[in-house]
């Protein structure tokens, strides 16, 4: 039996069974649904995109996977070269992994070892309140092989601050000589409640990180590839390490990448084996994933997705302008994300089924009703999503 995510299995309602999917649509036995959440925010090109499917098929005719330990191949070489050119600044060193959570783990290990490799003890991580960086827990710690662990023995803990400059300055003033990194979901905190904040906070963070040689990590697993209305938030403020996932493969196969800049890479580059990064997911650099990611980036550029996202934001603002209800605390919009936050989560109970019956797949959580649409959505489809959201409050 399937154990479903984030659900109390005893009380969960039966999931909708998908028989087919194409473009922005999911098909069940009796419904055609606009996927308003892009399958957990990753399906930016829509389903069954002929070019993406063809890229996977073509690679599968050669091989689906080979390990990256001691082997390499064209798709992974081409993807790392493409990312090097596509990503801003000197974010040039791509460490691949199979999921966003693992890629975040890699970034944190990099930040810690960046310091131990230079003989510095920097055991603390600074993060944001309401942060979400994945679900992994303790795999390495329960392992028992000194060769894999020694570089990470110093880790101590995490401190959380709100997205406010005074709190940021205070944290750096107090702890700067103990911090190895500051990790953030830049501009848009997704799973923590679609919280949006100002670029000024990140600019100040960059200054402080430079001043104290603390690595700045952007977890753009959710925000990368245009979701905030910027290609990457890293285009605005350059991090030392950038983590990408979700839309990297257009949602076709799970894959992620941790991209380091020259400064980080140089701290590992040595004649000393003990300064190497001891990490290696079985499926890193998977050939199908790399092939589809390459094709996805090609389409993203060729079809001018940034203009599509700008249009999505304009329509979202137009449709949600002046929409209020006593139960709504706030409507927030940024790029391809719209969030309606209510005061009481009970006010969203039943919305998923309500939307289903009207041809929209939605998955509200806690106090948040939101859309994170595929970028290929047409205006009338997008308007329909907002109509269904508004109808829920007017019923
Ligand atoms: C989804 C997400 C992750 C985790 O990615 P998985 O592929 O689910 O492991 C990490 N960080 C952010 C910001 C995310 O939104």
């Amino acid at each position: 039996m399937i154990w479903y995510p984030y659900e109390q299995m005893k009380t969960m309602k039966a999931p909708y069974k998908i028989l087919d999917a194409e473009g922005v649509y999911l098909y069940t036995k009796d419904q055609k649904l606009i996927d308003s959440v892009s399958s957990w925010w990753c399906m930016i090109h829509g389903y069954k995109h002929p070019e993406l499917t063809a890229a996977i098929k073509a690679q599968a005719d050669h091989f689906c996977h080979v390990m990256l330990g001691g082997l390499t191949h064209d798709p992974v070489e081409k993807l790392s070269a493409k990312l090097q050119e596509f990503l801003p600044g000197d974010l040039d060193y791509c460490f691949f992994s199979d999921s966003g959570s693992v890629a975040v783990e890699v970034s944190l290990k990099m930040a810690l070892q960046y310091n131990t490799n230079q003989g510095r003890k920097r055991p603390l991580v600074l993060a944001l309140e309401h942060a979400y960086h994945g679900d992994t827990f303790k795999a390495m710690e329960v392992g028992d092989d000194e060769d894999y662990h020694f570089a990470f023995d110093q880790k101590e803990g995490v401190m959380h601050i709100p997205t406010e400059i005074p709190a940021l300055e205070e944290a750096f003033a107090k702890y700067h000589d103990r911090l190895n990194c500051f990790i953030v979901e830049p501009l848009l905190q997704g799973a923590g409640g679609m919280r949006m904040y100002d670029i000024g906070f990140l600019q100040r963070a960059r200054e402080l990180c430079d001043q104290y040689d603390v690595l700045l990590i952007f977890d753009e697993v959710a925000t990368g590839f245009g979701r905030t209305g910027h290609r990457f938030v890293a285009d605005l403020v350059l991090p030392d390490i950038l983590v990408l996932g979700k839309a990297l493969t257009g949602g076709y196969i799970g894959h992620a990448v941790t991209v380091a800049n020259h400064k980080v890479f140089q701290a590992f580059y040595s004649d000393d084996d003990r300064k190497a990064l001891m990490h290696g997911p079985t499926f890193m650099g998977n050939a199908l994933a790399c092939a589809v990611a390459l094709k996805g980036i090609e389409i993203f550029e060729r079809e001018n997705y940034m203009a599509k996202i700008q249009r999505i934001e304009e329509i979202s603002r137009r449709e949600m302008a002046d929409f209020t209800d006593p139960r709504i605390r706030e409507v927030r919009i940024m790029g391809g994300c719209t969030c309606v936050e209510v005061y009481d989560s009970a006010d969203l109970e039943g919305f998923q089924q309500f939307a289903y019956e009207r041809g929209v797949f939605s998955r509200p959580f806690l106090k948040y009703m939101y859309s994170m649409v595929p970028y290929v959505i047409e205006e009338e489809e997008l308007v329909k999503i907002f109509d269904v959201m508004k109808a829920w409050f007017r019923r």
Side-chain angles (χ1 to χ4, degrees):
M1 135 170 216
I2 299 167
W3 196 332
Y4 283 94
Y6 303 121
E7 296 283 359
Q8 171 46 261
M9 292 297 291
K10 187 169 178 188
T11 53
M12 82 176 269
K13 70 173 199 39
Y16 306 119
K17 186 163 180 174
I18 301 307
L19 304 179
D20 202 357
E22 185 165 14
V24 299
Y25 290 101
L26 298 167
Y27 294 87
T28 64
K29 190 156 57 70
D30 54 8
Q31 261 299 20
K32 176 182 176 186
L33 302 162
I34 301 171
D35 181 359
S36 71
V37 295
S38 305
S39 267
W40 267 337
W41 326 341
C42 63
M43 198 60 58
I44 60 171
H45 310 279
Y47 299 92
K48 210 190 288 185
H49 191 293
E51 287 180 83
L52 295 180
T53 307
I56 291 176
K57 284 182 177 165
Q59 181 55 40
D61 281 341
H62 295 286
F63 54 90
C64 294
H65 180 70
V66 297
M67 65 193 270
L68 216 55
L71 303 176
T72 192
H73 51 86
D74 266 350
V76 74
E77 286 182 355
K78 284 188 188 151
L79 180 59
S80 64
K82 180 69 210 178
L83 286 170
Q84 185 168 352
E85 170 221 310
F86 190 59
L87 297 175
D90 64 344
L91 291 164
D92 288 345
Y93 298 92
C94 296
F95 191 98
F96 293 97
S97 50
D98 34 26
S99 75
S101 305
V102 173
V104 168
E105 296 278 359
V106 170
S107 73
L108 296 172
K109 287 171 76 172
M110 275 180 186
L112 188 59
Q113 196 177 345
Y114 168 82
N115 285 283
T116 47
N117 278 359
Q118 298 180 79
R120 294 198 307 201
K121 190 169 156 75
R122 292 277 193 105
L124 292 179
V125 169
L126 188 63
L128 294 178
E129 287 174 5
H130 310 290
Y132 177 83
H133 295 290
D135 289 343
T136 54
F137 182 40
K138 273 180 174 291
M140 189 183 80
E141 204 169 302
V142 296
D144 182 29
D145 186 335
E146 184 47 18
D147 291 339
Y148 290 89
H149 294 187
F150 66 89
F152 311 106
D153 287 345
Q154 294 185 356
K155 72 172 184 331
E156 263 173 30
V158 183
M159 275 176 314
H160 293 96
I161 56 166
T163 51
E164 291 156 14
I165 290 178
L168 175 71
E169 291 177 339
E170 192 189 322
F172 271 85
K174 270 196 193 147
Y175 300 110
H176 60 85
D177 58 346
R178 297 170 53 72
L179 291 177
N180 61 66
C181 71
F182 180 32
I183 182 167
V184 298
E185 292 160 90
L187 292 189
L188 171 63
Q189 296 183 281
M194 308 300 165
R195 292 162 195 269
M196 299 164 187
Y197 62 92
D198 199 76
I199 191 71
F201 179 83
L202 296 174
Q203 286 160 342
R204 185 70 185 118
R206 180 68 273 176
E207 286 169 9
L208 290 164
C209 284
D210 283 342
Q211 188 176 341
Y212 296 112
D213 196 13
V214 173
L215 296 182
L216 182 59
I217 304 178
F218 279 6
D219 175 355
E220 295 218 50
V221 171
T223 56
F225 295 94
R227 187 56 69 184
T228 65
H230 309 284
R231 239 170 38 115
F232 299 95
V233 183
D235 286 331
L236 308 180
V237 171
L238 194 62
D240 299 293
I241 302 176
L242 174 64
V243 186
L244 301 175
K246 293 198 166 96
L248 172 67
T249 58
Y252 278 57
I253 300 179
H255 220 64
V257 65
T258 309
V259 191
N261 70 4
H262 285 223
K263 180 172 91 166
V264 172
F265 184 79
Q266 281 306 321
F268 290 77
Y269 195 75
S270 160
D271 293 321
D272 183 354
D273 283 346
R274 288 172 69 88
K275 290 191 176 172
L277 179 63
M278 293 302 277
H279 200 98
T282 306
F283 292 106
M284 73 183 291
N286 172 267
L288 298 180
C290 292
V292 76
L294 267 169
K295 184 54 74 177
I297 294 171
E298 181 191 320
I299 296 168
F300 189 96
E301 291 187 296
R302 188 188 71 208
E303 305 292 321
N304 195 2
Y305 271 39
M306 292 317 300
K308 289 188 200 293
I309 296 159
Q310 201 182 341
R311 183 87 185 107
I312 288 169
E313 175 164 354
E314 280 164 20
I315 296 167
S316 306
R317 291 194 186 282
R318 185 190 76 207
E319 292 301 307
M320 298 308 277
D322 312 322
F323 180 67
T324 55
D325 183 275
R327 289 162 291 188
I328 295 177
R329 182 159 183 261
E330 189 181 44
V331 177
R332 296 189 278 276
I333 298 170
M334 181 185 277
C337 173
T338 296
C339 177
V340 177
E341 179 177 347
V342 296
Y343 288 101
D344 183 353
S345 58
D347 286 330
L348 298 181
E349 271 167 33
F351 174 67
Q352 186 174 56
Q353 184 60 24
F354 178 88
Y356 179 88
E357 285 158 15
R358 287 155 184 79
V360 172
F361 175 66
S362 176
R363 191 177 148 93
F365 62 100
L366 304 172
K367 292 179 287 184
Y368 313 103
M369 169 194 275
Y370 75 97
S371 65
M372 286 250 205
V373 295
Y375 303 147
V376 294
I377 198 164
E378 298 290 342
E379 174 160 2
E380 62 187 42
E381 295 160 340
L382 186 55
V383 168
K384 180 169 169 174
I385 293 171
F386 295 124
D387 282 348
V388 168
M389 287 182 172
K390 290 187 271 192
W392 170 254
F393 291 98
R394 289 180 180 145
R395 76 195 190 287

